[in-house]
Amino acid sequence: MAKWLENAIFYEIYPQSFNDTNGDGIGDFQGIIEKLDYIKDTGFNAIWMNPCFDSPFGDAGYDVRDYKKTAARYGTNEDLKRLFDECHKRDMHILLDLVPGHTSVEHEWFKKSMLPEINEYTDRYIWTNNIWEQPEGLNCIRGISDRDGSAAVNFFSSQPALNYGYAQPKFAYQQKPTDPGPMSTRAAIKDVMKFWLDMGCDGFRVDMAGSLVKCDPEYKETIKLWQDITGYLKSEYPEAAMVSEWGEPQYSLAGGFDMDFLLHFGPEGYNSMFRCAEPFFSKRGKGTPKIFAEQYIANYEKAKAGGGLICIPSGNHDMDRLARGRDWDELKCCFAFLLTMPGAPFVYYGDEIGMNYVEGLTSVEGGYNRTGSRTPMQWDSTANDGFSSADKTQLYIKQDDSPDRPTVEKQKLDTDSLYNEIIKLIKLRNENTALHNLSEFEFVSYDGYPLVYRRKSAEQELLICINPCGDDKSFTDNEELGEIVYSLGENAAVSGRTVNIPASGAVFVSIKNK
Ligand code: GLC
C-alpha cells in the first residue's frame, strides 16, 4: 500500500459544484486550485475528484466520451496537470475517478463497435449475435446501428458495457475474460490509467469496480482481473492508490485494491448508522450500531489480513446529504465517529459545513434524486454564496436558498460550529497515533447506546464512546481510565473505570498506563 495512505484524510470534490472561476455557472479546475488552501487548512491532505473527462454528461460525466481528454468546461489537460502540481506542492494527493465499466454511446470505441464490418473495436463492448437476442442479466441498446446485435448496458441506457467477458460463458456471444476482445479492453484501461499517472495523478477511485466481469456471483473472475490490473499498477507506480466503489471489502481488497468504501448499497450496515428510518445517529435513540458492527468486524479482520483499508464516507454524490433530517448535535456526533474509525476518512464537499439536501429539484445531468446532494458549494455572503459570478439562473444546479443555509464564512466565525468541530477532530486524529488510519481497532460495546471502541498504537490506547441519543449514558470499562482527551456535549466525566457520556455527545478517554 502507498505510504501516504497511512495518514490520508480525503475530501471528495464534485467539480461541477465546487468553485467557478470563469463565470459560466459551473465549477472548474482553477476553482479547485484556488480552494486548495481551504481544503488543506481544514485538515484534508487528499482529494478524490469525480469524473472530469470529455462527456455528453448524461450521467454527470460517468459517461465518458474520451478517457484521455478533460471536459472543456473544467479546463484543459494542462490545467488538470497544474491542479496535480498544486496539490503536490502542498503535500496533498489527488485521485481521479476511473470509469472502466462503460463509456458513453458517443465514445469513438462504441461508434466503431456499432459498424457491421469487423474492426479493432468489434469486441470492445458486449454485443449479442443478433438484434433479437437480449444479453443475459443486463439491459441493452438495440436498433441504433447497422451491426446486427444488441449492446449490453451497465447503468443508464446511454452507457454501453465494456467487454471484460463472462465468468462462465453460456451463450455463443459471451466471451471468456481471457479471450482477445476482453483482453484488449483490459489493456486499453491500463493504458488510460498510465496516461493520467504519468501526468501526475496519485491513483483512482474506481467506479462500479465489482461489475466488470459479467455473471460472476462470487466475483472470482472479477478479482482475478483486478489482481492483474492492480499488480501492473503496483509494479509500475508503487505510490499510486486504488479505491474501489464496490462496497464489499472481502472481494475488492482480494482484488488488490488498497481501500473500499462501505456504501448505501450492498450490506445494510452503513445505512443502519446514517440513512434509514431509525439510524443510530439520531437523538431519538431508536437505532443500534449492532448490524453495522457485526458486518464491520468481519470485514475489518479480512482487510487487516490483506493489508487494506475500509473507508466510511460521510456521504457522496450518489446518496442523500448526511445533514438531511439531522441537527447540528447529531452531525457533530457523526463526525466524532467518522474521524476516529480506522481506514481513511472521506468527507463529501459541503458536509464539513452541514450543507443540506436540497429538496424538490428537477434532475440535472442524470442526477434524479441525487441532484439535491450535488448543489453548488456555499462559501460566503457574496452573490451565489461565492460559488460563481454567473447569473443565478445560469448555475449548474440551483443553489440552496434557505435563509439559514450554512456557508464556510459563517461557520468559520462561529466557534461552536460543525466546521470548527471537524477541524478539532482532524487535528486530534493527526496528533494521536492511536487514531491513525492503520492503528488497531476493537469494538467494546455495540448493542444500543453508547457505541464504544478502542483504538491503539504502540504509544497509546484510547477508549472512544459515542452517544448520539438524547439521554446521558454511562459506560464502565474493565480497564482503569485516564484523562479525557476530547469531549462533545456538556458534563462529560470519568471516574475510575466509568465514563459519563452526555446526550448527543462523545468522550475519548486515554487508558491508564498505556
Ligand atoms: C457509480 C457512480 C454514479 C454513476 C454510476 C454509473 O455508482 O458513483 O454516480 O451514476 O456509477 O457510472
Side-chain angles (χ1 to χ4, degrees), residues 465-482:
C465 311
I466 312 266
N467 178 31
C469 83
D471 304 312
D472 292 4
K473 294 280 171 189
S474 69
F475 175 77
T476 302
D477 197 33
N478 50 15
E479 303 251 21
E480 206 55 34
L481 299 174

Side-chain angles (χ1 to χ4, degrees), residues 48 50 59-60 62-63 97 99 102 155-156 159 205 207-208 245 264-265 316-318 366 370 374:
W48 152 32
N50 292 107
D59 183 15
Y62 283 95
D63 46 335
D97 209 318
V99 191
H102 45 266
F155 199 69
F156 291 152
Q159 290 161 310
R205 172 269 190 187
D207 187 66
M208 292 177 65
E245 186 205 27
H264 54 301
F265 58 79
N316 70 23
H317 61 290
D318 293 330
R370 306 175 293 184
R374 300 175 174 185

Side-chain angles (χ1 to χ4, degrees), residues 102-142:
H102 45 266
T103 66
S104 153
V105 277
E106 294 186 19
H107 197 292
E108 276 309 309
W109 296 346
F110 191 66
K111 289 189 191 157
K112 301 233 171 71
S113 198
M114 286 199 290
L115 298 174
E117 301 81 27
I118 303 242
N119 63 66
E120 193 186 337
Y121 301 98
T122 298
D123 289 332
R124 179 63 46 100
Y125 297 83
I126 300 172
W127 286 90
T128 60
N129 285 336
N130 71 72
I131 188 79
W132 312 119
E133 190 179 12
Q134 170 109 15
E136 188 189 8
L138 292 166
N139 290 324
C140 65
I141 320 177
R142 39 168 61 155

Side-chain angles (χ1 to χ4, degrees), residues 336-399:
F337 166 75
L338 291 167
L339 293 168
T340 52
M341 285 295 282
F346 273 79
V347 176
Y348 182 50
Y349 86 95
D351 280 356
E352 77 277 22
I353 56 166
M355 262 172 68
N356 289 319
Y357 176 87
V358 181
E359 309 283 343
L361 294 180
T362 302
S363 177
V364 173
E365 294 189 344
Y368 302 96
N369 63 310
R370 306 175 293 184
T371 307
S373 299
R374 300 175 174 185
T375 59
M377 181 69 178
Q378 296 148 204
W379 295 102
D380 57 33
S381 53
T382 61
N384 301 316
D385 290 353
F387 163 69
S388 165
S389 61
D391 186 81
K392 208 181 169 66
T393 56
Q394 299 306 306
L395 300 192
Y396 169 70
I397 295 177
K398 181 176 164 289
Q399 204 162 25

Side-chain angles (χ1 to χ4, degrees), residues 300-312:
Y300 176 71
E301 293 307 327
K302 285 187 193 132
K304 224 169 81 175
L309 299 175
I310 301 174
C311 304
I312 313 173

